[in-house]
Amino acid sequence: MTISSPLEAPAATGVNPALKFGLLGLGLLGLIAAPWLGAYPVFLMKFLCFALFACAFNLLLGYTGLLSFGHAAFFGGAAYFTGHAAKEWGLTPELAILVGAAGAAALGLIIGFLAIRRQGIYFAMITLALSQMFYFICLRSPFTKGEDGLQGVPRGKLFGVIDLAPSLNMYYFVLAVFVLGLLIIWRFVNSPFGMILRAIRENEPRAVSLGYDVARYKLIAFVMSAALTGLAGGVKALVFQFATLTDVTWQMSGEVILMTLLGGIGTLIGPILGAGVVVTLQNYFATSQFPVTILTGAVFMICVLLFRRGIVGEFYASRLGARLGFDLRR
Amino acid sequence: METIFGVPVVALYGQLVLGLINGSFYALLSLGLAVIFGLLRVINFAHGAQFMLGAFTAWLLLNHLGVGYWFALILTPLIVGLLGAVIERTMLRRLYAADPLYGLLFTFGLALVLEGIFRWYFGAAGKPYTPPSDLQGAANLGFMRLPKYRIWVIVASLIMCLSVWALIEKTRLGATLRAATENPTLVQAFGVNVPLLLTFTYALGVGLAAFAGVLAAPIQQVSPLMGSQIIIIVFAVVVVGGMGSIMGAIVTGYMLGLAEALTKVYYAEASNIVIFVIMAVVLLVKPAGLFGKDA
């Protein structure tokens, strides 16, 4: 058997900054203009929530090399926390979302503390098992209202002033949270701390021998990823005004893996693209009889077999990508 | 009426038997996972789906071809195992050089596809499978009456687990297999066809899952969802036992089935999560697992 190679994650470096920021600016402009160009705001908001979710997940898989199979616990858990805070405590939306993110971070601390004791596939199985345990707790505890879920979560008034009930107001709020989340991730990944995480991903024994407390770094990355996932989950609860068991299931954990894998593990924009593709496909098949899991599963298999680097990763590795200055480092 | 800690003895025995039955399935499935992982370094996420496939194949054989339970018990593992061999030959094989996580992701996709297809054709509702006539009715064990089929499940799974253990630990084929686990390159240099061995091993593990599926068909409803419900628990079992030892996987499977049953008797609310709690405790105390060698 060959020695396991690290996950194939590229790093874009040396790209012409004008090109990079130009593209990012264009993307942002596109998102600002999208509702005026005929895109359905609720669809856009769903996309942004999942895109942030996937980016937060990628922080862990792409930059630390840890495959969590339990991120639904943070996503769906935060949706419950935010929903509860907004509905039962009457908090304003920004505070309710913070409650969701904080709750997800606390959950991440517990699950992460246990899971980092093992590596690789064991890590994946442990996170899956613990998130399933959280699912059963959600199923039983009165605070989640069981099978019915939390219904009628109010969107409320942002800072007590701006009413978020109109879809357009809500959309720009979601977009702001999304951009804020991405900025945090970008700052985190490009900090010295992020470099240490990449070192752990590339060669854990060497990072240990250099004197880094690997377990602590992994745990911080895990909690960070959980908190940002919570941010996405909390926003989703406000957008759809409910929180249900669907978001806590293992299928949801699988979905976010698919988005990240399809877009490109370890790239900043890959997960956003992946989320866009998956959410669009789901919307398309939502009305048909064809079960979307067959499609999701098939995409998983094809992606792993044929283009492991994902859409963005393969583009970086292609001749055109190389000419533009994207560098694929293993 | 006799009681133990306030619970009638008969009820306790009844639950313990149920625990042994669940434990039988955990043992068979975690054994298959351990066999596959040992040689292929792949965690077979599709194991639950292949368990479901086993139950469905038996059901289809009975209802469409009139093949009875006993033939199905032999035929089904062969059919599903062959399907596994095809998957290994055509697709899974390409992933051995990559990070083991890709194997997990690939088989996860496979599980989704299999489950989706069966849901599409048969709906999510369970289908009944009547046990064979020789195993209907109950037997009196002296201290309690027990359906014959349940006794059969426990006996059959024990025999199967021990046979696989003996195959791997006591036969020449098993010795080659264990050698290939330690050092595939060297074993290949000795003239053993290692790629064929890998295919055989995957088929063996998948066949075990299908065997468990046939055993489960008359007890549980045959449903497309039966696999995903059990696979996560089996993952927890595997984490508790550690995948280093075949016997470890078997013993842990039965033990956790019993632990689940005892929880059902004394604190039913926690019975769904007790295995996960045990996993968390084991991770805190002995991260490598009860029988594990590697971290």
Side-chain angles (χ1 to χ4, degrees):
Chain A
M1 199 97 327
T2 46
I3 300 163
S4 70
S5 59
L7 286 166
E8 288 160 40
T13 48
V15 186
N16 182 358
L19 174 73
K20 199 158 118 189
F21 288 105
L23 283 175
L24 283 177
L26 219 65
L28 187 59
L29 271 179
L31 283 173
I32 290 172
W36 308 99
L37 301 174
Y40 185 46
V42 175
F43 171 77
L44 285 174
M45 289 191 275
K46 185 179 174 190
F47 158 62
L48 288 178
C49 290
F50 277 101
L52 182 58
F53 182 15
C55 288
F57 174 78
N58 185 41
L59 182 63
L60 199 61
L61 176 59
Y63 295 96
T64 324
L66 296 174
L67 172 61
S68 158
F69 233 109
H71 258 50
F74 313 130
F75 190 65
Y80 280 126
F81 300 143
T82 299
H84 191 78
K87 192 181 174 188
E88 308 291 334
W89 300 344
L91 291 187
T92 50
E94 73 284 356
L95 288 178
I97 288 173
L98 283 182
V99 169
L107 210 55
L109 190 66
I110 300 169
I111 293 184
F113 178 74
L114 288 167
I116 58 165
R117 299 173 81 85
R118 302 296 300 269
Q119 295 162 339
I121 40 148
Y122 281 101
F123 181 89
M125 289 193 285
I126 293 166
T127 44
L128 176 62
L130 290 174
S131 76
Q132 188 69 1
M133 177 168 153
F134 183 70
Y135 169 84
F136 280 121
I137 294 173
C138 287
L139 186 65
R140 289 299 180 88
S141 85
F143 132 91
T144 60
K145 309 272 190 296
E147 303 269 359
D148 299 335
L150 284 180
Q151 302 287 347
V153 174
R155 283 184 182 170
K157 290 192 160 104
L158 187 61
F159 305 116
V161 185
I162 307 165
D163 189 6
L164 290 182
S167 277
L168 220 51
N169 291 5
M170 189 66 198
Y171 173 71
Y172 286 111
F173 172 59
V174 175
L175 184 59
V177 174
F178 172 73
V179 172
L180 180 75
L182 277 196
L183 283 176
I184 295 174
I185 292 173
W186 186 78
R187 187 71 199 86
F188 190 70
V189 165
N190 289 297
S191 67
F193 191 91
M195 294 299 160
I196 296 169
L197 292 184
R198 278 187 225 191
I200 294 171
R201 178 192 76 189
E202 296 296 328
N203 194 333
E204 189 171 331
R206 189 173 288 176
V208 172
S209 77
L210 285 172
Y212 290 112
D213 185 353
V214 167
R216 210 191 66 188
Y217 283 99
K218 280 184 180 174
L219 186 57
I220 294 174
F222 195 91
V223 172
M224 189 76 189
S225 171
L228 286 163
T229 299
L231 201 61
V235 173
K236 183 173 180 267
L238 291 184
V239 169
F240 290 97
Q241 302 190 282
F242 57 71
T244 59
L245 283 169
T246 315
D247 290 347
V248 203
T249 55
W250 59 269
Q251 286 94 337
M252 184 59 77
S253 298
E255 249 170 54
V256 76
I257 298 174
L258 180 66
M259 291 171 186
T260 312
L261 178 71
L262 185 62
I265 295 172
T267 62
L268 271 179
I269 56 165
I272 304 174
L273 195 70
V277 174
V278 173
V279 171
T280 309
L281 280 179
Q282 281 174 345
N283 254 38
Y284 187 75
F285 282 99
T287 47
S288 79
Q289 286 294 307
F290 188 76
V292 82
T293 51
I294 298 183
L295 193 75
T296 330
V299 174
F300 246 112
M301 291 165 71
I302 294 167
C303 206
V304 170
L305 285 175
L306 299 181
F307 58 109
R308 240 166 268 165
R309 290 185 282 236
I311 299 169
V312 174
E314 292 294 340
F315 172 72
Y316 284 174
S318 71
R319 203 173 290 171
L320 178 66
R323 189 172 296 170
L324 290 174
F326 294 104
D327 164 31
L328 191 80
R329 284 190 310 191
R330 291 282 304 271
Chain B
M1 190 185 274
E2 269 186 90
T3 62
I4 294 178
F5 299 121
V7 174
V9 171
V10 177
L12 185 65
Y13 283 153
Q15 282 300 334
L16 286 180
V17 169
L18 278 182
L20 267 183
I21 287 172
N22 280 336
S24 304
F25 296 130
Y26 299 159
L28 278 170
L29 290 174
S30 60
L31 173 65
L33 276 182
V35 167
I36 293 174
F37 180 76
L39 196 56
L40 278 70
R41 297 284 138 190
V42 166
I43 274 293
N44 186 27
F45 209 122
H47 218 66
Q50 284 147 349
F51 167 76
M52 177 271 291
L53 206 57
F56 256 104
T57 309
W59 184 83
L60 287 170
L61 282 174
L62 182 69
N63 288 290
H64 291 272
L65 299 172
V67 177
Y69 177 84
W70 297 107
F71 275 118
L73 197 58
I74 299 166
L75 215 53
T76 305
L78 292 177
I79 296 172
V80 181
L82 195 68
L83 188 75
V86 171
I87 289 168
E88 197 276 341
R89 279 265 147 170
T90 53
M91 294 181 269
L92 198 54
R93 151 159 314 187
R94 298 154 188 262
L95 300 176
Y96 294 152
D99 191 289
L101 291 176
Y102 287 114
L104 179 74
L105 294 179
F106 173 80
T107 48
F108 176 68
L110 180 63
L112 288 181
V113 170
L114 288 175
E115 194 183 293
I117 290 174
F118 277 84
R119 247 169 105 169
W120 197 19
Y121 279 107
F122 299 99
K127 310 206 176 300
Y129 185 104
T130 26
S133 50
D134 343 1
L135 293 177
Q136 281 171 1
N140 197 340
L141 297 180
F143 55 95
M144 67 182 299
R145 288 179 62 77
L146 200 60
K148 280 184 193 161
Y149 190 78
R150 308 215 149 173
I151 304 173
W152 159 245
V153 168
I154 297 172
V155 173
S157 78
L158 263 177
I159 293 173
M160 185 50 95
C161 283
L162 291 176
S163 319
V164 173
W165 173 80
L167 172 74
I168 289 174
E169 300 289 337
K170 301 290 172 198
T171 65
R172 192 168 166 77
L173 177 65
T176 316
L177 239 150
R178 278 178 290 132
T181 307
E182 291 290 327
N183 192 336
T185 325
L186 196 61
V187 171
Q188 185 138 28
F190 284 145
V192 175
N193 188 343
V194 171
L196 189 67
L197 206 60
L198 291 173
T199 310
F200 168 75
T201 307
Y202 190 70
L204 174 69
V206 171
L208 274 173
F211 179 79
V214 185
L215 279 185
I219 291 188
Q220 307 176 4
Q221 298 267 309
V222 178
S223 129
L225 305 177
M226 65 195 286
S228 55
Q229 283 158 0
I230 202 167
I231 188 66
I232 302 178
I233 298 177
V234 172
F235 278 173
V237 172
V238 162
V239 172
V240 171
M243 277 187 293
S245 124
I246 297 291
M247 201 40 115
I250 300 171
V251 173
T252 314
Y254 286 106
M255 258 175 19
L256 289 183
L258 285 176
E260 200 179 34
L262 281 177
T263 318
K264 218 166 255 167
V265 176
Y266 289 102
Y267 188 61
E269 287 80 9
S271 63
N272 276 333
I273 60 169
V274 63
I275 289 184
F276 303 127
V277 173
I278 293 174
M279 181 191 81
V281 173
V282 168
L283 281 172
L284 288 174
V285 180
K286 195 168 182 298
L290 296 179
F291 300 89
K293 284 167 269 182
D294 56 344

